[in-house]
Amino acid sequence: MANTQAFYAHLNSELQSIREAGLYKSERVITGPQGAVVHTQDGREVINLCANNYLGLSSHPKVIEAAHEALRSHGYGLSSVRFICGTQNLHKTLEQRLARFLGTEDTILYAAAFDANGGLFEPLLGEQDAIISDELNHASIIDGIRLCKAKRFRYKHNDMADLERCLQEAQAAGARFTLVFTDGVFSMDGTIAQLDKIREITDRYGALLGIDECHASGFLGKTGRGTHEYRNVFGKIDIITGTLGKALGGASGGFTSGRKEVIELLRQRSRPYLFSNTVAPSIVGASIAVLDLLEGSTDLRDKLEANTAYFREAIQAAGFEIKPGTHPIVPIMVYDAVMAQKLSARILELGIYAVGFFFPVVPRGQARIRVQVSAGHEREHLEKAVAAFAQAGRELGLIKA
Ligand SMILES: *Cc1c(COP(=O)(O)O)cnc(C)c1O
C-alpha cells in the first residue's frame, strides 16, 4: 500500500502537470473594495473589466449602509441552519421581495447559487423522471443533476432542434415529469438563452422549464428582472435559480424561486439548505436595499445598457473581433491561448485588468479576453480601456497598426 508520503508526492506531480499544461490559475490580490477601479498589491490603480459587478453595487454607499444597519439591528451571524434558529424576519422579507421581483410565488435562500443548483434536482425529481440540460450549463447545474436519479439528456448548446430530440427521447423513455434546465445567460459567450422558443417547445411536450439567472437578475430586460423579461416570458418560468453574489450586490448567497409547493418541498428536503448555515443578516439586509434601488429606478441597468453598447461598438471600431450580442459580457476573440495571455498581461501594464480565458474553460482555439462592462464604469474608464486594447493589439500584431 502506498504511504502518505506518496500521496503528497502524487499531489505535487498533479500540480506540476497543471503548471506544465499552462492551466495553472493564480489569484491576483487586490487591496481594497471591488469597483470600476481596483488597487493591486504592488500599489497600482487599474480599471477593472472582469468582475460580475454589473450594476456597480459591490461598493455602493446605500448597499454598504444597509449592511451596517442590519449588522447593528440583527447581529453578525445566526450560528444555525434555517429550521433550527436561523430564520429572521429579514430572511422572510428578502424571500418575498425576490419572489415579487422575479414574478414568482416564493423564494428560498441558500448560502450560494452553487448550493441552490446543487440542492434543486434531487428533492424534486426521481427515477421515473427526466432532466434535459444544455451542454454548456454551469458546473453547479451539472453537479446538481448528477445527485439526482432522474434520467439525463443533454442537448447541443442553444440548439432548439436538438432540445426537441431530447424531449422526444424522454417521452419515448416513459418519463413521468420532464424538466428542461438552462442558463439564462451563458457566461463565456454572453449568449442569452432563447427562452421564448424553449417555453413554446416545452409547453408542447408538457415539460417544466427552469433557468439559472446568475448573469441576468438585476439588469437584463427593461426593468432588470432577467432573461424571462428580456425574452417576453416573464411569469412563465417554473423554476429560477440565481445569486446575490453578482449584480445583486456581489457579496454571496443564492436562491431558488418558483411555485409555493416547489419552495416548500425544497425547505423540507434540499440538503444544502437543511445542512448548511443561514445567510448572514448583513447580506440579507443589504440585498433588500438592492431590490429597493432596482425597483425604484432603472437608472443603473439603463447605464449598463448604454455602457455595453458603447464598449461593443468602440472595441470593434478599434479593429477587434467580438462575439456579437447585447450582453455586458463581451468576449474579445484572440483564438490563440498564448496570445490571449500576452494581451491580458500587456493591457494590465497599461492599467486595464481583464483576464484571458482558454482551454479547458472555453473550447480549444477559442481563446479570448472576457470583458464585463459595469454600470460602475464611467465613459472615461471605457475609453481608456479601448485605447489600451488598441495599443496592445497593435504591438502584438493582433490588429492593424
Ligand atoms: C456564478 C454562477 C453560479 C454560482 O453562483 P454563487 O452564488 O457564486 O455560488 C451558478 N450558476 C451560474 C450560471 C453562475 O454564473
Side-chain angles (χ1 to χ4, degrees), residues 253-279:
F255 55 83
T256 298
S257 208
R259 286 273 291 266
K260 281 196 167 62
E261 44 274 64
V262 169
I263 305 310
E264 197 176 345
L265 188 61
L266 292 175
R267 286 193 207 281
Q268 300 304 313
R269 297 254 175 90
S270 181
R271 291 164 69 83
Y273 183 79
L274 292 171
F275 298 103
S276 186
N277 206 28
T278 189
V279 183

Side-chain angles (χ1 to χ4, degrees), residues 52 111-115 117 137-141 183-187 212-215 241-246 251-254:
N52 299 309
F114 206 104
D115 290 332
N117 286 331
N137 275 346
H138 190 264
S140 55
I141 300 170
D183 279 13
V185 172
F186 294 85
S187 64
D212 175 334
E213 286 283 272
C214 285
H215 290 279
T241 63
T243 184
L244 304 173
K246 288 176 179 145
S252 64

Side-chain angles (χ1 to χ4, degrees), residues 193-201 209 227 231-233:
Q194 307 174 70
L195 290 188
D196 46 349
K197 292 187 187 151
I198 298 176
R199 183 71 276 184
E200 184 270 315
I201 296 168
L209 173 56
T227 313
R231 293 293 191 201
N232 295 313
V233 287

Side-chain angles (χ1 to χ4, degrees), residues 36 303 307 310 374-384:
K303 184 175 176 195
N307 278 353
Y310 167 78
S374 168
H377 292 129
E378 299 306 331
R379 184 56 58 89
E380 184 200 350
H381 295 129
L382 299 175
E383 284 168 359
K384 279 189 182 156

Side-chain angles (χ1 to χ4, degrees), residues 125 200 284 367:
L125 299 167
E200 184 270 315
V284 178

